[in-house]
Amino acid sequence: MTAPPRRPRVLLSVATSVDGYIDTAGPERLLLSGEEDFDRVDAERAGCDAILVGAGTLRRDDPRLLVRSAERRAARLAAGRPEHPAKVVLTTTGDLDPTARFFTTGPAERLVYCPGRAVPGVAVRLGDAATVVDAGDPPDPARVLADLAARGVRRLMVEGGGAMHTLFLTAGLVDEIQLVVAPFFVGDPAAPRFVGPGAFPHGPDHRMTPVETRLVGDCVLIRWLTHTGDHDRASDSPPVP
């Protein structure tokens, strides 16, 4: 019998402006790409077992994190999988709104990872809306991935925001980056960036491997493989069409 992987295969998905911003500093969400890319991301979501965001993204964007396409949902069900991937949020404070769409929309499993000291209070606040899990203090992404693997997650999509990108990349826990670059600039130093400062494993002497570059609408998609670490990972399964 094959042993389960010690962690899921991690796909990091992000869209940025030419100058590396993922949003503006204003209250309205910046749409960096268009419908063609939204559909591509939906296909990637459908091919994953779980989707992870940080608490900041949950509070700012109020995402549903569901598969939009009825055909893709049906294909997941036909394959014996849940209709939607599990929804995962990682928080350092536990300050989450139980009325957010993350918790109230769709039948997907919902998991909240937070410091152990915050688990009792968060569990009371969220009630049956989510399963609350000790992620260590401070939260340890490797511990989160190990717990997800134990729950059967073999492919995880990390969708932001910048703090989550930085956390998983600096920890060497990302296997593939899908970066979509929009054809404009933001130029606001107060706006959030793709990543923050950190000790990243991929510098000039340890380059990632580009495996695809193509147009998606008026944006450019670039896919890199990182080849980080020698741990067991789930095989890279293709997205559900």
Side-chain angles (χ1 to χ4, degrees), residues 3 10 15 17 28 30 33 48 83 86 89 107 116 118 132-133 137 152 155 160 173 200 207 217 225 229 237:
V10 177
S17 63
E28 296 297 323
L30 175 64
S33 60
C48 291
E83 184 178 6
V89 63
V132 183
V133 184
D137 195 0
R155 183 176 172 90
L173 294 173
F200 295 90
R207 296 172 180 259
L225 299 181
S237 56

Side-chain angles (χ1 to χ4, degrees), residues 74-207:
R76 287 178 59 91
L77 289 172
R81 305 172 73 189
E83 184 178 6
H84 300 278
K87 299 193 281 189
V88 182
V89 63
L90 178 57
T91 173
T92 57
T93 66
D95 181 18
L96 301 172
D97 180 359
T99 67
R101 294 193 299 177
F102 177 97
F103 298 110
T104 60
T105 60
E109 180 183 12
R110 293 173 287 272
L111 300 167
V112 173
Y113 290 88
C114 65
R117 56 184 164 74
V119 167
V122 176
V124 169
R125 185 180 311 123
L126 297 179
D128 295 334
T131 299
V132 183
V133 184
D134 183 356
D137 195 0
D140 178 1
R143 180 169 175 168
V144 171
L145 293 182
D147 185 79
L148 288 171
R151 296 174 188 273
V153 173
R154 297 179 60 82
R155 183 176 172 90
L156 172 70
M157 189 173 187
V158 175
E159 288 200 13
M164 291 299 101
H165 298 155
T166 304
L167 180 67
F168 280 85
L169 285 166
T170 55
L173 294 173
V174 174
D175 301 292
E176 178 181 344
I177 299 172
Q178 293 187 4
L179 169 66
V180 168
V181 182
F184 57 81
F185 296 83
V186 171
D188 182 351
R193 306 291 296 255
F194 169 23
V195 293
F200 295 90
H202 296 93
D205 298 325
H206 187 197
R207 296 172 180 259

